[in-house]
Coordinates of all heavy atoms in Angstrom, one line a residue:
M1 N 19.7 14.8 -10.9 CA 18.4 14.9 -10.3 C 18.5 15.9 -9.1 O 19.4 15.9 -8.4 CB 18.0 13.5 -9.8 CG 16.5 13.4 -9.7 SD 15.9 11.7 -9.4 CE 16.4 10.9 -10.8
R2 N 17.5 16.7 -9.0 CA 17.4 17.7 -7.9 C 16.6 17.2 -6.7 O 15.6 16.5 -6.9 CB 16.9 19.0 -8.4 CG 17.8 19.6 -9.5 CD 17.3 21.0 -10.0 NE 15.9 21.2 -9.8 CZ 15.1 21.3 -10.8 NH1 15.4 21.3 -12.0 NH2 13.8 21.5 -10.6
I3 N 16.9 17.8 -5.6 CA 16.1 17.4 -4.3 C 14.7 17.8 -4.4 O 13.8 17.1 -3.9 CB 16.8 18.0 -3.1 CG1 16.2 17.3 -1.8 CG2 16.7 19.5 -3.1 CD1 16.7 15.9 -1.6
D4 N 14.4 18.8 -5.2 CA 13.0 19.2 -5.3 C 12.2 18.2 -6.2 O 10.9 18.4 -6.3 CB 12.8 20.7 -5.8 CG 13.5 20.9 -7.2 OD1 14.1 20.0 -7.7 OD2 13.3 22.0 -7.7
Q5 N 12.8 17.3 -6.8 CA 12.1 16.3 -7.6 C 11.8 15.0 -6.7 O 11.1 14.1 -7.2 CB 13.0 15.8 -8.8 CG 13.2 17.0 -9.8 CD 14.3 16.6 -10.8 OE1 15.4 16.2 -10.5 NE2 13.9 16.8 -12.1
L6 N 12.3 15.0 -5.5 CA 12.1 13.8 -4.7 C 10.6 13.6 -4.4 O 10.1 12.4 -4.5 CB 12.9 14.0 -3.4 CG 12.7 12.8 -2.4 CD1 13.3 11.6 -2.9 CD2 13.4 13.2 -1.1
G7 N 9.9 14.6 -4.1 CA 8.5 14.4 -3.8 C 7.7 13.8 -4.9 O 6.8 12.9 -4.7
A8 N 7.9 14.2 -6.1 CA 7.2 13.7 -7.3 C 7.6 12.2 -7.5 O 6.7 11.4 -7.8 CB 7.6 14.5 -8.5
L9 N 8.8 11.9 -7.2 CA 9.2 10.5 -7.4 C 8.5 9.6 -6.3 O 8.1 8.5 -6.6 CB 10.7 10.3 -7.3 CG 11.5 10.9 -8.4 CD1 13.0 10.9 -8.1 CD2 11.2 10.1 -9.7
V10 N 8.4 10.1 -5.1 CA 7.8 9.4 -4.0 C 6.3 9.2 -4.3 O 5.8 8.1 -4.2 CB 8.0 10.1 -2.7 CG1 7.1 9.5 -1.6 CG2 9.4 10.0 -2.2
A11 N 5.7 10.3 -4.8 CA 4.2 10.2 -5.1 C 4.0 9.2 -6.3 O 3.1 8.4 -6.3 CB 3.7 11.6 -5.5
R12 N 4.9 9.2 -7.3 CA 4.8 8.3 -8.4 C 5.0 6.8 -7.9 O 4.2 6.0 -8.3 CB 5.8 8.6 -9.5 CG 5.7 7.8 -10.7 CD 6.7 8.1 -11.8 NE 6.8 9.5 -12.0 CZ 8.0 10.1 -12.2 NH1 9.1 9.4 -12.1 NH2 8.0 11.4 -12.3
K13 N 6.0 6.6 -7.1 CA 6.2 5.2 -6.5 C 5.0 4.8 -5.7 O 4.5 3.6 -5.8 CB 7.4 5.2 -5.7 CG 7.7 4.0 -4.9 CD 8.2 2.8 -5.6 CE 8.5 1.6 -4.7 NZ 9.3 0.6 -5.3
R14 N 4.4 5.7 -4.9 CA 3.3 5.4 -4.1 C 2.0 5.1 -4.9 O 1.3 4.1 -4.6 CB 3.0 6.5 -3.1 CG 1.9 6.2 -2.1 CD 1.9 7.2 -1.0 NE 1.4 8.5 -1.3 CZ 0.1 8.8 -1.4 NH1 -0.8 8.0 -1.1 NH2 -0.2 10.1 -1.7
G15 N 1.8 5.8 -6.0 CA 0.7 5.5 -6.8 C -0.6 5.6 -6.1 O -0.9 6.5 -5.4
S16 N -1.4 4.5 -6.2 CA -2.7 4.5 -5.5 C -2.6 3.9 -4.1 O -3.6 3.8 -3.4 CB -3.7 3.6 -6.3 OG -3.2 2.3 -6.4
M17 N -1.4 3.5 -3.7 CA -1.2 3.0 -2.3 C -1.4 4.1 -1.3 O -1.1 5.3 -1.5 CB 0.3 2.5 -2.1 CG 0.6 1.9 -0.8 SD 2.4 1.5 -0.6 CE 2.7 0.3 -1.8
G18 N -2.1 3.8 -0.2 CA -2.4 4.7 0.8 C -1.1 5.3 1.5 O -0.1 4.6 1.5
I19 N -1.2 6.5 2.0 CA 0.0 7.1 2.6 C 0.5 6.3 3.8 O 1.7 6.2 4.0 CB -0.2 8.6 3.0 CG1 1.1 9.3 3.3 CG2 -1.2 8.7 4.1 CD1 1.8 9.8 2.1
R20 N -0.4 5.7 4.6 CA 0.0 4.9 5.8 C 0.8 3.7 5.3 O 1.8 3.3 5.9 CB -1.2 4.6 6.6 CG -1.8 5.8 7.3 CD -3.0 5.4 8.2 NE -3.7 6.5 8.7 CZ -3.4 7.2 9.8 NH1 -2.4 6.7 10.5 NH2 -4.0 8.2 10.2
A21 N 0.3 3.0 4.3 CA 0.9 1.8 3.9 C 2.3 2.1 3.3 O 3.2 1.3 3.5 CB 0.0 1.1 2.8
A22 N 2.3 3.1 2.5 CA 3.6 3.5 1.9 C 4.6 3.9 3.0 O 5.8 3.5 2.9 CB 3.4 4.6 0.9
A23 N 4.2 4.7 3.9 CA 5.1 5.1 5.0 C 5.6 3.9 5.8 O 6.8 3.9 6.2 CB 4.3 6.1 5.9
A24 N 4.7 2.9 6.0 CA 5.2 1.7 6.7 C 6.2 1.0 5.9 O 7.2 0.5 6.5 CB 4.0 0.8 7.0
E25 N 6.1 0.9 4.6 CA 7.1 0.3 3.8 C 8.4 1.0 3.8 O 9.5 0.4 3.9 CB 6.6 0.2 2.3 CG 5.7 -0.9 2.0 CD 5.4 -1.1 0.5 OE1 6.2 -0.5 -0.3 OE2 4.5 -1.8 0.2
V26 N 8.3 2.3 3.8 CA 9.5 3.2 3.9 C 10.2 3.1 5.2 O 11.4 3.1 5.3 CB 9.2 4.6 3.5 CG1 10.4 5.5 3.6 CG2 8.6 4.7 2.1
G27 N 9.4 3.1 6.3 CA 9.9 3.1 7.6 C 9.9 4.5 8.2 O 10.7 4.8 9.1
V28 N 9.0 5.3 7.8 CA 8.8 6.7 8.3 C 7.3 6.9 8.6 O 6.5 6.0 8.3 CB 9.2 7.7 7.3 CG1 10.7 7.6 6.9 CG2 8.4 7.7 6.0
S29 N 7.0 8.0 9.3 CA 5.6 8.3 9.6 C 4.9 8.7 8.4 O 5.5 9.3 7.5 CB 5.6 9.3 10.7 OG 5.9 10.6 10.2
P30 N 3.6 8.5 8.4 CA 2.8 9.1 7.3 C 2.9 10.6 7.1 O 2.9 11.1 6.0 CB 1.3 8.7 7.7 CG 1.5 7.5 8.6 CD 2.7 7.7 9.3
T31 N 3.0 11.3 8.2 CA 3.2 12.7 8.2 C 4.5 13.1 7.4 O 4.5 14.0 6.6 CB 3.2 13.3 9.6 OG1 2.0 13.0 10.2 CG2 3.4 14.8 9.6
T32 N 5.6 12.4 7.8 CA 6.9 12.6 7.1 C 6.8 12.4 5.6 O 7.2 13.2 4.8 CB 8.0 11.7 7.8 OG1 8.1 12.1 9.1 CG2 9.3 11.9 7.0
L33 N 6.2 11.2 5.3 CA 6.1 10.9 3.8 C 5.2 11.9 3.1 O 5.6 12.4 2.0 CB 5.5 9.5 3.6 CG 5.7 8.9 2.2 CD1 7.2 8.8 1.9 CD2 5.1 7.6 2.1
S34 N 4.2 12.4 3.7 CA 3.3 13.4 3.1 C 4.1 14.7 2.9 O 3.9 15.4 1.9 CB 2.1 13.6 4.0 OG 1.2 14.6 3.5
R35 N 4.8 15.1 3.9 CA 5.6 16.3 3.8 C 6.6 16.2 2.7 O 6.9 17.2 1.9 CB 6.3 16.6 5.1 CG 5.4 17.1 6.2 CD 6.1 17.2 7.6 NE 7.3 17.9 7.6 CZ 7.5 19.2 7.8 NH1 6.4 19.9 8.1 NH2 8.6 19.8 7.7
I36 N 7.3 15.1 2.5 CA 8.2 14.9 1.4 C 7.5 15.0 0.1 O 8.0 15.7 -0.8 CB 9.0 13.5 1.6 CG1 9.8 13.5 2.8 CG2 9.8 13.2 0.3 CD1 10.4 12.2 3.2
E37 N 6.3 14.4 0.0 CA 5.6 14.6 -1.3 C 5.2 16.0 -1.6 O 5.1 16.4 -2.8 CB 4.3 13.7 -1.2 CG 4.6 12.2 -1.4 CD 3.3 11.4 -1.5 OE1 2.2 12.0 -1.4 OE2 3.4 10.2 -1.6
R38 N 5.1 16.8 -0.5 CA 4.7 18.2 -0.7 C 6.0 19.1 -0.9 O 5.9 20.3 -1.0 CB 3.9 18.7 0.4 CG 2.5 18.1 0.5 CD 1.6 18.8 1.5 NE 2.2 19.2 2.7 CZ 2.2 18.5 3.9 NH1 1.6 17.4 3.9 NH2 2.8 19.0 4.9
G39 N 7.2 18.5 -1.0 CA 8.4 19.3 -1.3 C 9.3 19.6 -0.1 O 10.3 20.2 -0.3
H40 N 9.0 19.1 1.1 CA 9.9 19.3 2.2 C 11.1 18.4 2.0 O 11.0 17.2 1.6 CB 9.2 19.0 3.5 CG 8.2 20.1 3.8 ND1 8.5 21.2 4.6 CD2 6.9 20.2 3.4 CE1 7.4 21.9 4.7 NE2 6.4 21.4 4.0
V41 N 12.3 18.9 2.4 CA 13.5 18.1 2.3 C 13.7 17.3 3.6 O 13.7 17.9 4.7 CB 14.7 19.1 2.1 CG1 16.0 18.3 2.1 CG2 14.5 19.8 0.8
P42 N 13.9 16.0 3.5 CA 14.0 15.2 4.7 C 15.4 15.3 5.3 O 16.4 15.7 4.6 CB 13.7 13.8 4.2 CG 14.1 13.8 2.8 CD 13.8 15.2 2.3
D43 N 15.6 14.8 6.5 CA 17.0 14.7 7.1 C 17.7 13.6 6.4 O 17.0 12.8 5.6 CB 16.9 14.5 8.6 CG 16.2 13.2 9.0 OD1 16.6 12.1 8.5 OD2 15.3 13.3 9.8
V44 N 18.9 13.4 6.6 CA 19.8 12.5 5.9 C 19.3 11.0 6.1 O 19.2 10.2 5.1 CB 21.2 12.6 6.2 CG1 22.1 11.5 5.6 CG2 21.8 14.0 5.8
G45 N 19.0 10.7 7.3 CA 18.5 9.3 7.6 C 17.2 9.0 6.9 O 17.0 7.9 6.3
T46 N 16.3 9.9 6.9 CA 15.0 9.7 6.2 C 15.2 9.7 4.7 O 14.6 8.8 4.0 CB 14.0 10.8 6.6 OG1 13.8 10.8 8.0 CG2 12.7 10.6 5.9
L47 N 16.1 10.5 4.2 CA 16.4 10.5 2.8 C 16.9 9.1 2.4 O 16.5 8.6 1.3 CB 17.4 11.6 2.4 CG 17.8 11.7 1.0 CD1 16.6 12.0 0.1 CD2 18.9 12.7 0.8
Q48 N 17.8 8.6 3.2 CA 18.3 7.2 2.9 C 17.2 6.2 2.8 O 17.1 5.4 1.8 CB 19.3 6.8 3.9 CG 20.0 5.5 3.7 CD 20.9 5.5 2.5 OE1 21.6 6.4 2.3 NE2 20.9 4.4 1.8
K49 N 16.3 6.2 3.7 CA 15.2 5.3 3.7 C 14.3 5.5 2.4 O 13.9 4.5 1.8 CB 14.3 5.4 4.9 CG 15.0 5.0 6.2 CD 14.0 5.2 7.4 CE 14.7 4.9 8.7 NZ 13.8 5.2 9.8
V50 N 14.0 6.7 2.2 CA 13.1 7.0 1.0 C 13.8 6.6 -0.3 O 13.2 6.0 -1.2 CB 12.7 8.5 1.0 CG1 12.1 8.9 -0.3 CG2 11.8 8.9 2.2
C51 N 15.1 6.9 -0.4 CA 15.8 6.5 -1.6 C 15.9 5.0 -1.8 O 15.8 4.5 -2.9 CB 17.2 7.2 -1.6 SG 17.1 8.9 -1.9
E52 N 16.1 4.3 -0.7 CA 16.0 2.8 -0.8 C 14.7 2.4 -1.4 O 14.6 1.5 -2.2 CB 16.3 2.2 0.5 CG 17.7 2.3 1.0 CD 18.0 1.8 2.4 OE1 17.1 1.1 2.9 OE2 19.1 2.0 2.9
W53 N 13.6 3.0 -0.9 CA 12.2 2.6 -1.3 C 12.0 3.0 -2.8 O 11.4 2.2 -3.5 CB 11.2 3.3 -0.4 CG 9.8 2.9 -0.6 CD1 9.3 1.6 -0.3 CD2 8.7 3.6 -1.1 NE1 8.0 1.6 -0.6 CE2 7.6 2.8 -1.1 CE3 8.6 5.0 -1.5 CZ2 6.4 3.3 -1.5 CZ3 7.4 5.4 -1.9 CH2 6.3 4.6 -1.9
I54 N 12.4 4.1 -3.2 CA 12.2 4.5 -4.6 C 13.3 4.0 -5.5 O 13.3 4.3 -6.7 CB 12.0 6.0 -4.8 CG1 13.3 6.8 -4.4 CG2 10.8 6.5 -4.0 CD1 13.3 8.3 -4.7
E55 N 14.3 3.3 -4.9 CA 15.4 2.7 -5.7 C 16.3 3.7 -6.4 O 16.5 3.6 -7.6 CB 14.9 1.6 -6.6 CG 14.2 0.5 -5.9 CD 13.5 -0.5 -6.8 OE1 13.5 -0.4 -8.0 OE2 12.9 -1.5 -6.2
E56 N 16.6 4.8 -5.7 CA 17.5 5.8 -6.2 C 18.7 6.0 -5.3 O 18.5 5.8 -4.1 CB 16.7 7.1 -6.4 CG 15.6 7.1 -7.4 CD 16.1 7.1 -8.9 OE1 17.3 7.3 -9.1 OE2 15.3 6.8 -9.7
D57 N 19.8 6.5 -5.8 CA 21.0 6.8 -5.0 C 20.8 8.1 -4.3 O 20.5 9.1 -5.0 CB 22.2 6.8 -5.9 CG 23.5 7.0 -5.1 OD1 23.4 7.3 -3.9 OD2 24.5 6.9 -5.8
P58 N 20.9 8.2 -3.0 CA 20.7 9.5 -2.3 C 21.6 10.6 -2.8 O 21.3 11.8 -2.9 CB 21.0 9.2 -0.9 CG 20.8 7.8 -0.7 CD 21.1 7.2 -2.0
A59 N 22.8 10.2 -3.3 CA 23.8 11.2 -3.8 C 23.2 12.0 -5.0 O 23.7 13.1 -5.3 CB 25.1 10.5 -4.1
Q60 N 22.3 11.4 -5.7 CA 21.7 12.1 -6.9 C 21.0 13.3 -6.4 O 20.8 14.2 -7.2 CB 20.7 11.1 -7.6 CG 21.3 10.0 -8.3 CD 20.3 9.2 -9.0 OE1 19.3 9.8 -9.6 NE2 20.4 7.9 -9.0
F61 N 20.5 13.3 -5.2 CA 19.7 14.4 -4.7 C 20.4 15.4 -3.9 O 20.1 16.6 -3.8 CB 18.5 13.9 -3.9 CG 17.6 13.0 -4.6 CD1 17.7 11.6 -4.4 CD2 16.6 13.5 -5.5 CE1 16.8 10.8 -5.1 CE2 15.8 12.7 -6.2 CZ 15.9 11.3 -6.0
T62 N 21.5 15.0 -3.3 CA 22.1 15.8 -2.3 C 23.6 16.2 -2.5 O 24.1 17.0 -1.7 CB 22.1 15.1 -1.0 OG1 22.7 13.9 -1.1 CG2 20.6 14.9 -0.6
G63 N 24.2 15.6 -3.5 CA 25.6 16.0 -3.4 C 26.4 15.8 -4.7 O 25.8 15.5 -5.7
I64 N 27.6 15.8 -4.5 CA 28.6 15.7 -5.6 C 29.5 14.6 -5.2 O 30.0 14.6 -4.1 CB 29.3 17.0 -5.9 CG1 28.3 18.1 -6.3 CG2 30.4 16.8 -6.9 CD1 28.9 19.4 -6.3
G65 N 29.8 13.7 -6.1 CA 30.7 12.6 -5.7 C 30.1 11.8 -4.6 O 29.0 11.4 -4.6
G66 N 31.0 11.5 -3.6 CA 30.5 10.7 -2.5 C 29.9 11.5 -1.4 O 29.4 11.0 -0.4
L67 N 29.8 12.8 -1.5 CA 29.3 13.6 -0.4 C 27.8 13.6 -0.5 O 27.1 13.5 -1.5 CB 29.7 15.1 -0.6 CG 31.1 15.4 -0.3 CD1 31.4 16.9 -0.5 CD2 31.4 15.1 1.2
Q68 N 27.2 13.6 0.7 CA 25.7 13.7 0.8 C 25.4 14.8 1.7 O 25.7 14.8 2.9 CB 25.2 12.4 1.3 CG 25.4 11.2 0.4 CD 24.9 9.9 1.0 OE1 24.3 9.9 2.0 NE2 25.1 8.9 0.2
I69 N 24.7 15.8 1.2 CA 24.4 17.0 2.0 C 22.9 17.2 1.8 O 22.4 17.3 0.7 CB 25.1 18.2 1.6 CG1 26.6 18.0 1.8 CG2 24.6 19.4 2.3 CD1 27.5 19.1 1.3
A70 N 22.2 17.3 3.0 CA 20.8 17.6 2.9 C 20.5 18.6 4.1 O 21.0 18.5 5.1 CB 19.9 16.4 3.1
F71 N 19.7 19.6 3.8 CA 19.3 20.5 4.8 C 17.8 20.3 5.1 O 17.0 20.2 4.2 CB 19.5 22.0 4.3 CG 21.0 22.2 4.1 CD1 21.5 22.1 2.8 CD2 21.8 22.6 5.1 CE1 22.9 22.3 2.6 CE2 23.1 22.8 4.9 CZ 23.7 22.7 3.7
K72 N 17.5 20.2 6.4 CA 16.2 19.9 6.8 C 15.2 20.9 6.4 O 14.1 20.6 6.0 CB 16.2 19.7 8.3 CG 15.0 18.9 8.8 CD 15.1 18.4 10.2 CE 14.0 17.6 10.6 NZ 14.1 16.9 11.8
K73 N 15.5 22.1 6.5 CA 14.6 23.2 6.1 C 15.0 23.7 4.7 O 16.0 24.4 4.6 CB 14.6 24.3 7.1 CG 14.1 23.9 8.5 CD 13.9 25.0 9.4 CE 13.5 24.5 10.7 NZ 12.2 24.9 11.1
Q74 N 14.2 23.4 3.8 CA 14.6 23.7 2.4 C 14.8 25.2 2.2 O 15.7 25.6 1.4 CB 13.5 23.2 1.5 CG 13.8 23.3 0.0 CD 12.7 22.7 -0.8 OE1 11.7 22.4 -0.4 NE2 13.0 22.5 -2.1
Q75 N 14.1 26.0 2.9 CA 14.2 27.4 2.7 C 15.5 28.0 3.3 O 15.8 29.2 3.1 CB 13.0 28.2 3.2 CG 12.7 28.1 4.6 CD 11.9 26.9 5.0 OE1 11.9 25.9 4.3 NE2 11.2 26.9 6.1
A76 N 16.2 27.2 4.1 CA 17.4 27.7 4.8 C 18.5 28.1 3.8 O 19.2 29.1 3.9 CB 17.9 26.7 5.8
V77 N 18.7 27.3 2.8 CA 19.7 27.5 1.7 C 19.1 27.1 0.4 O 18.3 26.1 0.3 CB 21.0 26.8 2.0 CG1 21.7 27.4 3.2 CG2 20.9 25.3 2.0
S78 N 19.5 27.7 -0.6 CA 19.1 27.3 -2.0 C 19.8 26.1 -2.4 O 20.9 25.7 -1.9 CB 19.3 28.4 -3.0 OG 20.7 28.6 -3.1
A79 N 19.3 25.4 -3.5 CA 20.0 24.3 -4.0 C 21.4 24.7 -4.5 O 22.4 23.9 -4.4 CB 19.2 23.7 -5.2
A80 N 21.5 25.9 -5.1 CA 22.8 26.4 -5.6 C 23.8 26.5 -4.4 O 25.0 26.2 -4.6 CB 22.6 27.7 -6.3
T81 N 23.3 27.0 -3.3 CA 24.2 27.2 -2.2 C 24.6 25.8 -1.6 O 25.8 25.6 -1.3 CB 23.5 28.0 -1.0 OG1 23.1 29.3 -1.6 CG2 24.3 28.2 0.2
A82 N 23.7 24.9 -1.6 CA 24.0 23.6 -1.1 C 25.1 22.9 -2.0 O 26.1 22.3 -1.5 CB 22.8 22.7 -1.0
K83 N 24.9 23.1 -3.3 CA 25.9 22.5 -4.2 C 27.3 23.2 -4.1 O 28.3 22.6 -4.1 CB 25.4 22.7 -5.6 CG 26.2 21.9 -6.7 CD 25.5 21.9 -8.0 CE 26.2 20.9 -8.9 NZ 25.4 20.5 -10.1
S84 N 27.3 24.5 -3.9 CA 28.5 25.2 -3.7 C 29.2 24.8 -2.4 O 30.4 24.6 -2.4 CB 28.3 26.7 -3.6 OG 27.8 27.2 -4.8
L85 N 28.4 24.5 -1.3 CA 29.0 24.0 -0.1 C 29.6 22.6 -0.3 O 30.7 22.3 0.2 CB 28.0 24.0 1.0 CG 27.6 25.3 1.6 CD1 26.3 25.1 2.5 CD2 28.7 25.9 2.3
A86 N 29.0 21.8 -1.1 CA 29.5 20.5 -1.4 C 30.8 20.6 -2.1 O 31.8 19.8 -1.8 CB 28.5 19.7 -2.2
V87 N 30.9 21.5 -3.1 CA 32.1 21.7 -3.8 C 33.2 22.1 -2.9 O 34.4 21.6 -2.9 CB 31.9 22.7 -5.0 CG1 33.3 23.1 -5.6 CG2 31.0 22.1 -6.1
L88 N 32.9 23.1 -2.0 CA 33.9 23.6 -1.1 C 34.4 22.5 -0.2 O 35.6 22.3 0.1 CB 33.3 24.7 -0.2 CG 34.1 25.3 0.8 CD1 35.3 26.1 0.2 CD2 33.3 26.3 1.7
I89 N 33.5 21.6 0.3 CA 33.9 20.5 1.2 C 34.8 19.5 0.5 O 35.8 19.1 1.0 CB 32.7 19.9 1.8 CG1 32.0 20.9 2.8 CG2 33.0 18.6 2.6 CD1 30.6 20.4 3.2
E90 N 34.4 19.2 -0.7 CA 35.2 18.3 -1.5 C 36.6 18.8 -1.8 O 37.6 18.1 -1.7 CB 34.6 17.9 -2.8 CG 33.5 16.9 -2.7 CD 33.2 16.2 -4.0 OE1 33.5 16.7 -5.1 OE2 32.6 15.1 -3.9
L91 N 36.7 20.1 -2.1 CA 38.1 20.7 -2.3 C 38.9 20.7 -1.1 O 40.1 20.4 -1.1 CB 37.9 22.1 -2.9 CG 37.4 22.2 -4.3 CD1 37.1 23.7 -4.7 CD2 38.4 21.6 -5.3
A92 N 38.3 21.0 0.0 CA 39.0 21.0 1.3 C 39.5 19.6 1.7 O 40.6 19.4 2.1 CB 38.1 21.6 2.4
S93 N 38.6 18.6 1.4 CA 39.0 17.2 1.7 C 40.1 16.8 0.8 O 41.1 16.2 1.3 CB 37.7 16.4 1.4 OG 38.1 15.0 1.6
K94 N 40.1 17.2 -0.5 CA 41.2 16.8 -1.4 C 42.5 17.5 -0.9 O 43.5 16.8 -0.9 CB 40.8 17.3 -2.8 CG 41.8 16.9 -3.8 CD 41.4 17.3 -5.2 CE 42.5 17.0 -6.2 NZ 42.1 17.5 -7.6
Q95 N 42.5 18.8 -0.6 CA 43.7 19.5 -0.1 C 44.2 18.8 1.1 O 45.4 18.7 1.3 CB 43.4 20.9 0.1 CG 43.2 21.7 -1.2 CD 42.9 23.2 -0.9 OE1 42.6 23.6 0.2 NE2 43.1 24.0 -2.0
F96 N 43.3 18.4 2.0 CA 43.8 17.8 3.3 C 44.4 16.5 2.9 O 45.5 16.1 3.5 CB 42.6 17.6 4.2 CG 42.9 16.9 5.5 CD1 43.6 17.6 6.5 CD2 42.6 15.6 5.7 CE1 44.0 17.0 7.7 CE2 42.9 15.0 6.9 CZ 43.6 15.7 7.9
A97 N 43.8 15.7 2.1 CA 44.4 14.4 1.7 C 45.8 14.6 1.0 O 46.7 13.8 1.3 CB 43.5 13.6 0.7
E98 N 45.9 15.6 0.2 CA 47.2 15.9 -0.5 C 48.3 16.3 0.5 O 49.4 15.8 0.4 CB 47.0 17.0 -1.6 CG 46.3 16.5 -2.8 CD 45.9 17.6 -3.7 OE1 46.2 18.8 -3.4 OE2 45.3 17.3 -4.8
K99 N 47.9 17.1 1.5 CA 48.8 17.5 2.5 C 49.3 16.3 3.3 O 50.5 16.1 3.6 CB 48.1 18.5 3.5 CG 49.1 19.0 4.5 CD 48.4 20.1 5.4 CE 49.3 20.5 6.5 NZ 48.7 21.5 7.4
I100 N 48.3 15.4 3.7 CA 48.7 14.2 4.4 C 49.6 13.3 3.6 O 50.6 12.8 4.2 CB 47.4 13.4 4.8 CG1 46.6 14.2 5.8 CG2 47.8 12.0 5.4 CD1 47.2 14.5 7.1
D101 N 49.3 13.2 2.3 CA 50.2 12.4 1.5 C 51.6 13.0 1.4 O 52.6 12.3 1.4 CB 49.6 12.2 0.0 CG 48.4 11.3 0.0 OD1 48.3 10.5 0.9 OD2 47.7 11.4 -1.0
A102 N 51.7 14.3 1.2 CA 53.0 15.0 1.1 C 53.8 14.8 2.4 O 55.0 14.8 2.3 CB 52.7 16.5 0.8
E103 N 53.1 14.8 3.5 CA 53.9 14.6 4.8 C 54.2 13.2 5.1 O 54.8 12.9 6.1 CB 53.0 15.2 5.9 CG 52.9 16.7 5.8 CD 52.0 17.3 6.8 OE1 51.4 16.6 7.6 OE2 51.8 18.6 6.8
G104 N 53.8 12.3 4.2 CA 54.1 10.9 4.4 C 53.3 10.1 5.3 O 53.6 9.0 5.8
H105 N 52.1 10.6 5.7 CA 51.2 9.8 6.5 C 50.3 8.9 5.7 O 50.0 9.3 4.5 CB 50.2 10.8 7.3 CG 51.0 11.7 8.2 ND1 51.5 11.3 9.4 CD2 51.3 13.0 8.1 CE1 52.1 12.3 10.0 NE2 52.0 13.4 9.2
D106 N 49.9 7.8 6.2 CA 49.0 6.9 5.5 C 47.6 7.4 5.8 O 47.2 7.4 7.0 CB 49.2 5.5 6.0 CG 48.3 4.5 5.3 OD1 47.8 4.8 4.2 OD2 48.2 3.4 5.8
N107 N 46.8 7.8 4.8 CA 45.5 8.3 5.0 C 44.4 7.2 4.5 O 43.3 7.6 4.2 CB 45.2 9.6 4.3 CG 45.3 9.5 2.8 OD1 45.8 8.6 2.3 ND2 44.9 10.6 2.2
S108 N 44.9 6.0 4.4 CA 43.9 5.0 3.9 C 43.1 4.4 5.1 O 43.3 4.6 6.2 CB 44.6 3.9 3.2 OG 45.6 3.3 4.0

């Protein structure tokens, strides 16, 4: 699932419920919820709240594996760039863990 699908899912979940009532359920402002429905990408904390409300895993929208990456201004980077950054971070994390294991440190 892509982050640009989040707004449609929120609008579908909200249905005929007013924006203020839905925002109160989510725990965000009506302005924030409206912006998400129009395609703006929320910050990580807001994304978590919205995903709990729509009953979706935030990682579906923002990352690969256990990583969660969201950029507040959607136009700052493309989805492809965000995904590439996630891959880069995961590879760096894996290499770091392997180095720690090879040196005999406990990384648990």
Side-chain angles (χ1 to χ4, degrees):
M1 200 171 300
R2 297 185 332 249
I3 192 72
D4 59 353
Q5 297 171 306
L6 180 63
L9 290 172
V10 168
R12 186 178 314 134
K13 168 81 177 194
R14 184 167 72 83
S16 62
M17 181 187 296
I19 193 82
R20 290 180 190 273
E25 280 189 13
V26 175
V28 298
S29 74
T31 302
T32 297
L33 196 60
S34 178
R35 288 173 48 94
I36 292 169
E37 285 186 359
R38 292 191 320 264
H40 289 264
V41 177
D43 61 54
V44 173
T46 301
L47 179 64
Q48 181 69 37
K49 291 178 183 178
V50 170
C51 285
E52 287 175 13
W53 188 66
I54 63 172
E55 300 174 357
E56 295 288 345
D57 183 353
Q60 292 184 37
F61 300 101
T62 59
I64 298 169
L67 288 177
Q68 296 179 3
I69 298 174
F71 296 95
K72 198 166 185 172
K73 295 189 182 245
Q74 188 174 12
Q75 64 272 25
V77 296
S78 69
T81 300
K83 192 168 188 166
S84 295
L85 287 170
V87 169
L88 179 66
I89 292 168
E90 279 201 343
L91 289 173
S93 175
K94 183 178 176 185
Q95 286 180 346
F96 180 73
E98 289 172 355
K99 181 178 179 183
I100 295 296
D101 286 343
E103 293 176 357
H105 298 283
D106 181 17
N107 66 345
S108 56

